[in-house]
Amino acid sequence: MEYRLPYYMAYPMPLQYDDERIEQRDFDYMKSMYPMTVKRILPYVEEECDRMAYHGSMIYDEYPDQLQIYLMCNRIYDKVKKQKPKDDYEMEMQMFGQDERLRDLVQILLFQELFRRRSRHRRSRRGF
């Protein structure tokens, strides 16, 4: 009697990439629940990270340079401050407080985005 394995048991590899897709979907859902102030800052953070994402970039170093990260935060902060303020945005910023808190928020968002990109970069390099 010949015994055949079902396809899903014989070739389990397609499920290997399922975790990454689920993780990305979950992360996107969590980002959608960010407060409005953070949603306004996030595109500037992603733009700066896109600008710095190239082969051999310092963001992929084992220990990224703190000065370069500080300069990235300053560029993001300057862009956020230069954006045309809206009435509700001005009110949010007054409630948000001092500029130092905004700088801290920019820095936290940048660290989170860098961590996510570095993790994805490490996973993609493993296969080669």
Side-chain angles (χ1 to χ4, degrees), residues 70-105:
Y70 177 76
L71 293 174
M72 287 174 70
C73 286
N74 280 343
R75 283 193 294 266
I76 295 166
Y77 176 77
D78 291 342
K79 288 178 183 177
V80 169
K81 290 301 277 187
K82 284 181 186 176
Q83 83 176 3
K84 199 170 201 173
K86 298 175 183 153
D87 294 335
D88 60 337
Y89 181 70
E90 285 178 7
M91 190 171 73
E92 282 180 31
M93 291 309 293
Q94 287 173 358
M95 288 173 32
F96 191 66
Q98 304 168 1
D99 289 342
E100 192 61 35
R101 290 185 186 169
L102 179 60
R103 282 186 189 277
D104 290 346
L105 180 61

PDB file of all heavy atoms in Angstrom, residues 70-105:
ATOM      1  N   TYR A  70      21.258  61.907  15.944  1.00  0.00           N
ATOM      2  CA  TYR A  70      20.880  63.219  16.474  1.00  0.00           C
ATOM      3  C   TYR A  70      20.618  64.199  15.329  1.00  0.00           C
ATOM      4  O   TYR A  70      19.641  64.950  15.359  1.00  0.00           O
ATOM      5  CB  TYR A  70      21.988  63.735  17.394  1.00  0.00           C
ATOM      6  CG  TYR A  70      21.738  65.116  17.929  1.00  0.00           C
ATOM      7  CD1 TYR A  70      20.818  65.328  18.952  1.00  0.00           C
ATOM      8  CD2 TYR A  70      22.406  66.216  17.404  1.00  0.00           C
ATOM      9  CE1 TYR A  70      20.574  66.602  19.435  1.00  0.00           C
ATOM     10  CE2 TYR A  70      22.171  67.497  17.883  1.00  0.00           C
ATOM     11  CZ  TYR A  70      21.260  67.679  18.903  1.00  0.00           C
ATOM     12  OH  TYR A  70      21.012  68.941  19.372  1.00  0.00           O
ATOM     13  N   LEU A  71      21.460  64.176  14.298  1.00  0.00           N
ATOM     14  CA  LEU A  71      21.267  65.057  13.141  1.00  0.00           C
ATOM     15  C   LEU A  71      19.999  64.684  12.375  1.00  0.00           C
ATOM     16  O   LEU A  71      19.284  65.572  11.887  1.00  0.00           O
ATOM     17  CB  LEU A  71      22.488  65.009  12.225  1.00  0.00           C
ATOM     18  CG  LEU A  71      23.777  65.598  12.807  1.00  0.00           C
ATOM     19  CD1 LEU A  71      24.948  65.355  11.868  1.00  0.00           C
ATOM     20  CD2 LEU A  71      23.610  67.072  13.111  1.00  0.00           C
ATOM     21  N   MET A  72      19.707  63.391  12.273  1.00  0.00           N
ATOM     22  CA  MET A  72      18.466  62.961  11.628  1.00  0.00           C
ATOM     23  C   MET A  72      17.263  63.500  12.401  1.00  0.00           C
ATOM     24  O   MET A  72      16.305  64.003  11.795  1.00  0.00           O
ATOM     25  CB  MET A  72      18.393  61.434  11.561  1.00  0.00           C
ATOM     26  CG  MET A  72      19.307  60.794  10.552  1.00  0.00           C
ATOM     27  SD  MET A  72      19.297  58.985  10.657  1.00  0.00           S
ATOM     28  CE  MET A  72      17.664  58.606  10.058  1.00  0.00           C
ATOM     29  N   CYS A  73      17.326  63.415  13.727  1.00  0.00           N
ATOM     30  CA  CYS A  73      16.228  63.921  14.564  1.00  0.00           C
ATOM     31  C   CYS A  73      16.050  65.424  14.361  1.00  0.00           C
ATOM     32  O   CYS A  73      14.919  65.912  14.276  1.00  0.00           O
ATOM     33  CB  CYS A  73      16.492  63.633  16.036  1.00  0.00           C
ATOM     34  SG  CYS A  73      16.271  61.915  16.489  1.00  0.00           S
ATOM     35  N   ASN A  74      17.146  66.145  14.280  1.00  0.00           N
ATOM     36  CA  ASN A  74      17.070  67.597  14.073  1.00  0.00           C
ATOM     37  C   ASN A  74      16.453  67.941  12.727  1.00  0.00           C
ATOM     38  O   ASN A  74      15.664  68.885  12.622  1.00  0.00           O
ATOM     39  CB  ASN A  74      18.446  68.233  14.201  1.00  0.00           C
ATOM     40  CG  ASN A  74      18.844  68.444  15.641  1.00  0.00           C
ATOM     41  OD1 ASN A  74      18.005  68.406  16.540  1.00  0.00           O
ATOM     42  ND2 ASN A  74      20.121  68.657  15.864  1.00  0.00           N
ATOM     43  N   ARG A  75      16.818  67.200  11.675  1.00  0.00           N
ATOM     44  CA  ARG A  75      16.233  67.466  10.353  1.00  0.00           C
ATOM     45  C   ARG A  75      14.724  67.223  10.382  1.00  0.00           C
ATOM     46  O   ARG A  75      13.947  68.005   9.832  1.00  0.00           O
ATOM     47  CB  ARG A  75      16.898  66.591   9.295  1.00  0.00           C
ATOM     48  CG  ARG A  75      18.265  67.073   8.871  1.00  0.00           C
ATOM     49  CD  ARG A  75      18.742  66.369   7.623  1.00  0.00           C
ATOM     50  NE  ARG A  75      18.976  64.952   7.847  1.00  0.00           N
ATOM     51  CZ  ARG A  75      20.152  64.416   8.169  1.00  0.00           C
ATOM     52  NH1 ARG A  75      21.210  65.183   8.317  1.00  0.00           N
ATOM     53  NH2 ARG A  75      20.268  63.111   8.330  1.00  0.00           N
ATOM     54  N   ILE A  76      14.319  66.136  11.025  1.00  0.00           N
ATOM     55  CA  ILE A  76      12.887  65.829  11.121  1.00  0.00           C
ATOM     56  C   ILE A  76      12.172  66.907  11.920  1.00  0.00           C
ATOM     57  O   ILE A  76      11.107  67.396  11.521  1.00  0.00           O
ATOM     58  CB  ILE A  76      12.674  64.442  11.759  1.00  0.00           C
ATOM     59  CG1 ILE A  76      13.245  63.353  10.863  1.00  0.00           C
ATOM     60  CG2 ILE A  76      11.197  64.194  12.030  1.00  0.00           C
ATOM     61  CD1 ILE A  76      13.375  62.009  11.542  1.00  0.00           C
ATOM     62  N   TYR A  77      12.750  67.285  13.038  1.00  0.00           N
ATOM     63  CA  TYR A  77      12.149  68.302  13.902  1.00  0.00           C
ATOM     64  C   TYR A  77      11.992  69.615  13.144  1.00  0.00           C
ATOM     65  O   TYR A  77      10.941  70.272  13.229  1.00  0.00           O
ATOM     66  CB  TYR A  77      13.007  68.498  15.151  1.00  0.00           C
ATOM     67  CG  TYR A  77      12.523  69.600  16.050  1.00  0.00           C
ATOM     68  CD1 TYR A  77      11.431  69.404  16.889  1.00  0.00           C
ATOM     69  CD2 TYR A  77      13.142  70.838  16.059  1.00  0.00           C
ATOM     70  CE1 TYR A  77      10.972  70.421  17.714  1.00  0.00           C
ATOM     71  CE2 TYR A  77      12.697  71.861  16.875  1.00  0.00           C
ATOM     72  CZ  TYR A  77      11.616  71.639  17.701  1.00  0.00           C
ATOM     73  OH  TYR A  77      11.172  72.651  18.506  1.00  0.00           O
ATOM     74  N   ASP A  78      13.017  70.020  12.391  1.00  0.00           N
ATOM     75  CA  ASP A  78      12.937  71.268  11.614  1.00  0.00           C
ATOM     76  C   ASP A  78      11.825  71.213  10.570  1.00  0.00           C
ATOM     77  O   ASP A  78      11.109  72.188  10.364  1.00  0.00           O
ATOM     78  CB  ASP A  78      14.283  71.567  10.953  1.00  0.00           C
ATOM     79  CG  ASP A  78      15.360  71.933  11.957  1.00  0.00           C
ATOM     80  OD1 ASP A  78      15.012  72.296  13.107  1.00  0.00           O
ATOM     81  OD2 ASP A  78      16.555  71.835  11.602  1.00  0.00           O
ATOM     82  N   LYS A  79      11.679  70.068   9.909  1.00  0.00           N
ATOM     83  CA  LYS A  79      10.617  69.933   8.908  1.00  0.00           C
ATOM     84  C   LYS A  79       9.228  69.999   9.550  1.00  0.00           C
ATOM     85  O   LYS A  79       8.314  70.596   8.991  1.00  0.00           O
ATOM     86  CB  LYS A  79      10.770  68.617   8.150  1.00  0.00           C
ATOM     87  CG  LYS A  79      11.938  68.610   7.188  1.00  0.00           C
ATOM     88  CD  LYS A  79      12.057  67.274   6.504  1.00  0.00           C
ATOM     89  CE  LYS A  79      13.268  67.235   5.605  1.00  0.00           C
ATOM     90  NZ  LYS A  79      13.443  65.913   4.982  1.00  0.00           N
ATOM     91  N   VAL A  80       9.100  69.370  10.714  1.00  0.00           N
ATOM     92  CA  VAL A  80       7.814  69.402  11.416  1.00  0.00           C
ATOM     93  C   VAL A  80       7.471  70.825  11.829  1.00  0.00           C
ATOM     94  O   VAL A  80       6.327  71.267  11.698  1.00  0.00           O
ATOM     95  CB  VAL A  80       7.838  68.454  12.651  1.00  0.00           C
ATOM     96  CG1 VAL A  80       6.632  68.674  13.533  1.00  0.00           C
ATOM     97  CG2 VAL A  80       7.915  67.005  12.204  1.00  0.00           C
ATOM     98  N   LYS A  81       8.457  71.556  12.327  1.00  0.00           N
ATOM     99  CA  LYS A  81       8.220  72.935  12.762  1.00  0.00           C
ATOM    100  C   LYS A  81       7.913  73.875  11.586  1.00  0.00           C
ATOM    101  O   LYS A  81       7.190  74.851  11.750  1.00  0.00           O
ATOM    102  CB  LYS A  81       9.437  73.481  13.524  1.00  0.00           C
ATOM    103  CG  LYS A  81       9.643  72.847  14.892  1.00  0.00           C
ATOM    104  CD  LYS A  81       8.471  73.035  15.809  1.00  0.00           C
ATOM    105  CE  LYS A  81       8.537  74.382  16.476  1.00  0.00           C
ATOM    106  NZ  LYS A  81       7.523  74.572  17.501  1.00  0.00           N
ATOM    107  N   LYS A  82       8.456  73.567  10.399  1.00  0.00           N
ATOM    108  CA  LYS A  82       8.236  74.426   9.231  1.00  0.00           C
ATOM    109  C   LYS A  82       6.900  74.171   8.551  1.00  0.00           C
ATOM    110  O   LYS A  82       6.460  74.995   7.747  1.00  0.00           O
ATOM    111  CB  LYS A  82       9.353  74.208   8.200  1.00  0.00           C
ATOM    112  CG  LYS A  82      10.646  74.858   8.583  1.00  0.00           C
ATOM    113  CD  LYS A  82      11.686  74.628   7.521  1.00  0.00           C
ATOM    114  CE  LYS A  82      13.034  75.161   7.972  1.00  0.00           C
ATOM    115  NZ  LYS A  82      14.085  74.863   7.000  1.00  0.00           N
ATOM    116  N   GLN A  83       6.280  73.042   8.848  1.00  0.00           N
ATOM    117  CA  GLN A  83       5.006  72.755   8.183  1.00  0.00           C
ATOM    118  C   GLN A  83       3.998  73.838   8.526  1.00  0.00           C
ATOM    119  O   GLN A  83       4.031  74.419   9.596  1.00  0.00           O
ATOM    120  CB  GLN A  83       4.496  71.367   8.548  1.00  0.00           C
ATOM    121  CG  GLN A  83       3.744  71.296   9.846  1.00  0.00           C
ATOM    122  CD  GLN A  83       3.200  69.906  10.089  1.00  0.00           C
ATOM    123  OE1 GLN A  83       3.442  68.996   9.304  1.00  0.00           O
ATOM    124  NE2 GLN A  83       2.481  69.736  11.155  1.00  0.00           N
ATOM    125  N   LYS A  84       3.123  74.073   7.619  1.00  0.00           N
ATOM    126  CA  LYS A  84       2.128  75.129   7.818  1.00  0.00           C
ATOM    127  C   LYS A  84       1.170  74.724   8.933  1.00  0.00           C
ATOM    128  O   LYS A  84       0.460  73.731   8.815  1.00  0.00           O
ATOM    129  CB  LYS A  84       1.362  75.347   6.519  1.00  0.00           C
ATOM    130  CG  LYS A  84       0.656  76.658   6.458  1.00  0.00           C
ATOM    131  CD  LYS A  84       0.143  76.891   5.068  1.00  0.00           C
ATOM    132  CE  LYS A  84      -0.096  78.365   4.893  1.00  0.00           C
ATOM    133  NZ  LYS A  84      -0.429  78.685   3.535  1.00  0.00           N
ATOM    134  N   PRO A  85       1.150  75.457  10.030  1.00  0.00           N
ATOM    135  CA  PRO A  85       0.277  75.054  11.143  1.00  0.00           C
ATOM    136  C   PRO A  85      -1.196  75.288  10.819  1.00  0.00           C
ATOM    137  O   PRO A  85      -1.566  76.269  10.198  1.00  0.00           O
ATOM    138  CB  PRO A  85       0.730  75.935  12.302  1.00  0.00           C
ATOM    139  CG  PRO A  85       1.442  77.074  11.683  1.00  0.00           C
ATOM    140  CD  PRO A  85       1.928  76.631  10.335  1.00  0.00           C
ATOM    141  N   LYS A  86      -1.992  74.369  11.278  1.00  0.00           N
ATOM    142  CA  LYS A  86      -3.441  74.498  11.144  1.00  0.00           C
ATOM    143  C   LYS A  86      -3.982  74.869  12.515  1.00  0.00           C
ATOM    144  O   LYS A  86      -3.324  74.703  13.527  1.00  0.00           O
ATOM    145  CB  LYS A  86      -4.027  73.170  10.668  1.00  0.00           C
ATOM    146  CG  LYS A  86      -3.499  72.779   9.310  1.00  0.00           C
ATOM    147  CD  LYS A  86      -4.000  71.421   8.939  1.00  0.00           C
ATOM    148  CE  LYS A  86      -3.382  71.022   7.602  1.00  0.00           C
ATOM    149  NZ  LYS A  86      -3.271  69.613   7.420  1.00  0.00           N
ATOM    150  N   ASP A  87      -5.184  75.368  12.555  1.00  0.00           N
ATOM    151  CA  ASP A  87      -5.770  75.809  13.828  1.00  0.00           C
ATOM    152  C   ASP A  87      -5.794  74.694  14.873  1.00  0.00           C
ATOM    153  O   ASP A  87      -5.354  74.887  15.993  1.00  0.00           O
ATOM    154  CB  ASP A  87      -7.182  76.349  13.611  1.00  0.00           C
ATOM    155  CG  ASP A  87      -7.175  77.629  12.790  1.00  0.00           C
ATOM    156  OD1 ASP A  87      -6.137  78.328  12.812  1.00  0.00           O
ATOM    157  OD2 ASP A  87      -8.176  77.909  12.135  1.00  0.00           O
ATOM    158  N   ASP A  88      -6.316  73.539  14.477  1.00  0.00           N
ATOM    159  CA  ASP A  88      -6.377  72.451  15.447  1.00  0.00           C
ATOM    160  C   ASP A  88      -4.988  71.931  15.792  1.00  0.00           C
ATOM    161  O   ASP A  88      -4.734  71.497  16.904  1.00  0.00           O
ATOM    162  CB  ASP A  88      -7.275  71.317  14.947  1.00  0.00           C
ATOM    163  CG  ASP A  88      -6.776  70.714  13.645  1.00  0.00           C
ATOM    164  OD1 ASP A  88      -6.038  71.399  12.922  1.00  0.00           O
ATOM    165  OD2 ASP A  88      -7.138  69.560  13.359  1.00  0.00           O
ATOM    166  N   TYR A  89      -4.079  72.020  14.826  1.00  0.00           N
ATOM    167  CA  TYR A  89      -2.702  71.569  15.082  1.00  0.00           C
ATOM    168  C   TYR A  89      -2.025  72.488  16.099  1.00  0.00           C
ATOM    169  O   TYR A  89      -1.323  72.028  16.989  1.00  0.00           O
ATOM    170  CB  TYR A  89      -1.913  71.523  13.784  1.00  0.00           C
ATOM    171  CG  TYR A  89      -0.495  71.055  13.963  1.00  0.00           C
ATOM    172  CD1 TYR A  89      -0.228  69.720  14.287  1.00  0.00           C
ATOM    173  CD2 TYR A  89       0.571  71.927  13.830  1.00  0.00           C
ATOM    174  CE1 TYR A  89       1.057  69.275  14.466  1.00  0.00           C
ATOM    175  CE2 TYR A  89       1.859  71.495  14.006  1.00  0.00           C
ATOM    176  CZ  TYR A  89       2.095  70.163  14.321  1.00  0.00           C
ATOM    177  OH  TYR A  89       3.383  69.732  14.503  1.00  0.00           O
ATOM    178  N   GLU A  90      -2.236  73.796  15.967  1.00  0.00           N
ATOM    179  CA  GLU A  90      -1.652  74.743  16.929  1.00  0.00           C
ATOM    180  C   GLU A  90      -2.172  74.468  18.338  1.00  0.00           C
ATOM    181  O   GLU A  90      -1.409  74.502  19.301  1.00  0.00           O
ATOM    182  CB  GLU A  90      -1.980  76.184  16.533  1.00  0.00           C
ATOM    183  CG  GLU A  90      -1.176  76.697  15.367  1.00  0.00           C
ATOM    184  CD  GLU A  90      -1.575  78.104  14.980  1.00  0.00           C
ATOM    185  OE1 GLU A  90      -2.391  78.725  15.697  1.00  0.00           O
ATOM    186  OE2 GLU A  90      -1.073  78.580  13.968  1.00  0.00           O
ATOM    187  N   MET A  91      -3.463  74.183  18.428  1.00  0.00           N
ATOM    188  CA  MET A  91      -4.040  73.887  19.727  1.00  0.00           C
ATOM    189  C   MET A  91      -3.432  72.601  20.305  1.00  0.00           C
ATOM    190  O   MET A  91      -3.106  72.537  21.486  1.00  0.00           O
ATOM    191  CB  MET A  91      -5.553  73.735  19.622  1.00  0.00           C
ATOM    192  CG  MET A  91      -6.250  73.665  20.967  1.00  0.00           C
ATOM    193  SD  MET A  91      -8.033  73.734  20.814  1.00  0.00           S
ATOM    194  CE  MET A  91      -8.385  72.131  20.167  1.00  0.00           C
ATOM    195  N   GLU A  92      -3.256  71.585  19.439  1.00  0.00           N
ATOM    196  CA  GLU A  92      -2.635  70.349  19.892  1.00  0.00           C
ATOM    197  C   GLU A  92      -1.222  70.603  20.392  1.00  0.00           C
ATOM    198  O   GLU A  92      -0.804  70.049  21.401  1.00  0.00           O
ATOM    199  CB  GLU A  92      -2.588  69.328  18.757  1.00  0.00           C
ATOM    200  CG  GLU A  92      -3.883  68.643  18.491  1.00  0.00           C
ATOM    201  CD  GLU A  92      -3.746  67.657  17.347  1.00  0.00           C
ATOM    202  OE1 GLU A  92      -2.651  67.097  17.164  1.00  0.00           O
ATOM    203  OE2 GLU A  92      -4.731  67.471  16.637  1.00  0.00           O
ATOM    204  N   MET A  93      -0.484  71.442  19.676  1.00  0.00           N
ATOM    205  CA  MET A  93       0.900  71.717  20.062  1.00  0.00           C
ATOM    206  C   MET A  93       0.960  72.477  21.382  1.00  0.00           C
ATOM    207  O   MET A  93       1.868  72.274  22.176  1.00  0.00           O
ATOM    208  CB  MET A  93       1.639  72.490  18.964  1.00  0.00           C
ATOM    209  CG  MET A  93       1.896  71.677  17.709  1.00  0.00           C
ATOM    210  SD  MET A  93       2.666  70.075  18.027  1.00  0.00           S
ATOM    211  CE  MET A  93       4.249  70.593  18.626  1.00  0.00           C
ATOM    212  N   GLN A  94      -0.004  73.354  21.623  1.00  0.00           N
ATOM    213  CA  GLN A  94      -0.035  74.047  22.904  1.00  0.00           C
ATOM    214  C   GLN A  94      -0.337  73.069  24.026  1.00  0.00           C
ATOM    215  O   GLN A  94       0.247  73.146  25.101  1.00  0.00           O
ATOM    216  CB  GLN A  94      -1.084  75.163  22.879  1.00  0.00           C
ATOM    217  CG  GLN A  94      -0.679  76.347  22.049  1.00  0.00           C
ATOM    218  CD  GLN A  94      -1.822  77.348  21.907  1.00  0.00           C
ATOM    219  OE1 GLN A  94      -2.910  77.125  22.402  1.00  0.00           O
ATOM    220  NE2 GLN A  94      -1.548  78.439  21.218  1.00  0.00           N
ATOM    221  N   MET A  95      -1.247  72.138  23.751  1.00  0.00           N
ATOM    222  CA  MET A  95      -1.542  71.121  24.753  1.00  0.00           C
ATOM    223  C   MET A  95      -0.355  70.181  24.922  1.00  0.00           C
ATOM    224  O   MET A  95      -0.080  69.693  26.009  1.00  0.00           O
ATOM    225  CB  MET A  95      -2.779  70.314  24.343  1.00  0.00           C
ATOM    226  CG  MET A  95      -4.052  71.104  24.481  1.00  0.00           C
ATOM    227  SD  MET A  95      -5.533  70.282  23.836  1.00  0.00           S
ATOM    228  CE  MET A  95      -5.267  68.580  24.088  1.00  0.00           C
ATOM    229  N   PHE A  96       0.344  69.940  23.831  1.00  0.00           N
ATOM    230  CA  PHE A  96       1.473  69.017  23.855  1.00  0.00           C
ATOM    231  C   PHE A  96       2.608  69.573  24.709  1.00  0.00           C
ATOM    232  O   PHE A  96       3.312  68.843  25.364  1.00  0.00           O
ATOM    233  CB  PHE A  96       1.949  68.750  22.425  1.00  0.00           C
ATOM    234  CG  PHE A  96       2.925  67.636  22.327  1.00  0.00           C
ATOM    235  CD1 PHE A  96       2.532  66.346  22.620  1.00  0.00           C
ATOM    236  CD2 PHE A  96       4.225  67.867  21.949  1.00  0.00           C
ATOM    237  CE1 PHE A  96       3.431  65.305  22.534  1.00  0.00           C
ATOM    238  CE2 PHE A  96       5.120  66.835  21.866  1.00  0.00           C
ATOM    239  CZ  PHE A  96       4.718  65.549  22.152  1.00  0.00           C
ATOM    240  N   GLY A  97       2.787  70.865  24.689  1.00  0.00           N
ATOM    241  CA  GLY A  97       3.783  71.456  25.582  1.00  0.00           C
ATOM    242  C   GLY A  97       4.977  71.998  24.847  1.00  0.00           C
ATOM    243  O   GLY A  97       4.896  72.437  23.715  1.00  0.00           O
ATOM    244  N   GLN A  98       6.084  71.942  25.494  1.00  0.00           N
ATOM    245  CA  GLN A  98       7.307  72.574  25.035  1.00  0.00           C
ATOM    246  C   GLN A  98       7.890  71.856  23.826  1.00  0.00           C
ATOM    247  O   GLN A  98       7.530  70.737  23.494  1.00  0.00           O
ATOM    248  CB  GLN A  98       8.322  72.582  26.167  1.00  0.00           C
ATOM    249  CG  GLN A  98       7.812  73.241  27.416  1.00  0.00           C
ATOM    250  CD  GLN A  98       8.728  72.958  28.594  1.00  0.00           C
ATOM    251  OE1 GLN A  98       9.732  72.290  28.470  1.00  0.00           O
ATOM    252  NE2 GLN A  98       8.363  73.479  29.741  1.00  0.00           N
ATOM    253  N   ASP A  99       8.868  72.546  23.218  1.00  0.00           N
ATOM    254  CA  ASP A  99       9.549  71.975  22.057  1.00  0.00           C
ATOM    255  C   ASP A  99      10.344  70.727  22.429  1.00  0.00           C
ATOM    256  O   ASP A  99      10.524  69.838  21.605  1.00  0.00           O
ATOM    257  CB  ASP A  99      10.491  73.016  21.443  1.00  0.00           C
ATOM    258  CG  ASP A  99       9.740  74.134  20.752  1.00  0.00           C
ATOM    259  OD1 ASP A  99       8.551  73.937  20.452  1.00  0.00           O
ATOM    260  OD2 ASP A  99      10.342  75.191  20.512  1.00  0.00           O
ATOM    261  N   GLU A 100      10.805  70.676  23.649  1.00  0.00           N
ATOM    262  CA  GLU A 100      11.600  69.518  24.082  1.00  0.00           C
ATOM    263  C   GLU A 100      10.784  68.230  24.021  1.00  0.00           C
ATOM    264  O   GLU A 100      11.294  67.174  23.648  1.00  0.00           O
ATOM    265  CB  GLU A 100      12.123  69.749  25.503  1.00  0.00           C
ATOM    266  CG  GLU A 100      13.162  68.761  25.934  1.00  0.00           C
ATOM    267  CD  GLU A 100      14.414  68.784  25.075  1.00  0.00           C
ATOM    268  OE1 GLU A 100      14.798  69.875  24.610  1.00  0.00           O
ATOM    269  OE2 GLU A 100      14.985  67.700  24.867  1.00  0.00           O
ATOM    270  N   ARG A 101       9.518  68.321  24.357  1.00  0.00           N
ATOM    271  CA  ARG A 101       8.656  67.135  24.279  1.00  0.00           C
ATOM    272  C   ARG A 101       8.460  66.695  22.840  1.00  0.00           C
ATOM    273  O   ARG A 101       8.427  65.502  22.550  1.00  0.00           O
ATOM    274  CB  ARG A 101       7.309  67.411  24.929  1.00  0.00           C
ATOM    275  CG  ARG A 101       7.394  67.542  26.422  1.00  0.00           C
ATOM    276  CD  ARG A 101       6.036  67.701  27.012  1.00  0.00           C
ATOM    277  NE  ARG A 101       6.099  67.967  28.434  1.00  0.00           N
ATOM    278  CZ  ARG A 101       5.081  68.355  29.143  1.00  0.00           C
ATOM    279  NH1 ARG A 101       3.913  68.536  28.568  1.00  0.00           N
ATOM    280  NH2 ARG A 101       5.206  68.565  30.431  1.00  0.00           N
ATOM    281  N   LEU A 102       8.331  67.666  21.940  1.00  0.00           N
ATOM    282  CA  LEU A 102       8.202  67.336  20.526  1.00  0.00           C
ATOM    283  C   LEU A 102       9.482  66.672  20.030  1.00  0.00           C
ATOM    284  O   LEU A 102       9.436  65.699  19.281  1.00  0.00           O
ATOM    285  CB  LEU A 102       7.892  68.591  19.713  1.00  0.00           C
ATOM    286  CG  LEU A 102       7.743  68.398  18.208  1.00  0.00           C
ATOM    287  CD1 LEU A 102       6.605  67.432  17.910  1.00  0.00           C
ATOM    288  CD2 LEU A 102       7.516  69.728  17.525  1.00  0.00           C
ATOM    289  N   ARG A 103      10.620  67.177  20.439  1.00  0.00           N
ATOM    290  CA  ARG A 103      11.898  66.554  20.064  1.00  0.00           C
ATOM    291  C   ARG A 103      11.973  65.115  20.580  1.00  0.00           C
ATOM    292  O   ARG A 103      12.439  64.223  19.876  1.00  0.00           O
ATOM    293  CB  ARG A 103      13.079  67.345  20.619  1.00  0.00           C
ATOM    294  CG  ARG A 103      13.417  68.571  19.850  1.00  0.00           C
ATOM    295  CD  ARG A 103      14.697  69.202  20.415  1.00  0.00           C
ATOM    296  NE  ARG A 103      14.941  70.483  19.839  1.00  0.00           N
ATOM    297  CZ  ARG A 103      15.535  70.663  18.667  1.00  0.00           C
ATOM    298  NH1 ARG A 103      15.948  69.640  17.975  1.00  0.00           N
ATOM    299  NH2 ARG A 103      15.718  71.886  18.206  1.00  0.00           N
ATOM    300  N   ASP A 104      11.518  64.904  21.799  1.00  0.00           N
ATOM    301  CA  ASP A 104      11.523  63.557  22.366  1.00  0.00           C
ATOM    302  C   ASP A 104      10.625  62.620  21.563  1.00  0.00           C
ATOM    303  O   ASP A 104      10.984  61.470  21.295  1.00  0.00           O
ATOM    304  CB  ASP A 104      11.076  63.579  23.825  1.00  0.00           C
ATOM    305  CG  ASP A 104      12.089  64.215  24.753  1.00  0.00           C
ATOM    306  OD1 ASP A 104      13.264  64.401  24.332  1.00  0.00           O
ATOM    307  OD2 ASP A 104      11.716  64.544  25.895  1.00  0.00           O
ATOM    308  N   LEU A 105       9.465  63.119  21.168  1.00  0.00           N
ATOM    309  CA  LEU A 105       8.538  62.306  20.384  1.00  0.00           C
ATOM    310  C   LEU A 105       9.151  61.954  19.029  1.00  0.00           C
ATOM    311  O   LEU A 105       9.068  60.808  18.582  1.00  0.00           O
ATOM    312  CB  LEU A 105       7.210  63.041  20.198  1.00  0.00           C
ATOM    313  CG  LEU A 105       6.143  62.305  19.405  1.00  0.00           C
ATOM    314  CD1 LEU A 105       5.766  60.994  20.092  1.00  0.00           C
ATOM    315  CD2 LEU A 105       4.924  63.182  19.239  1.00  0.00           C
TER     316      LEU A 105
END
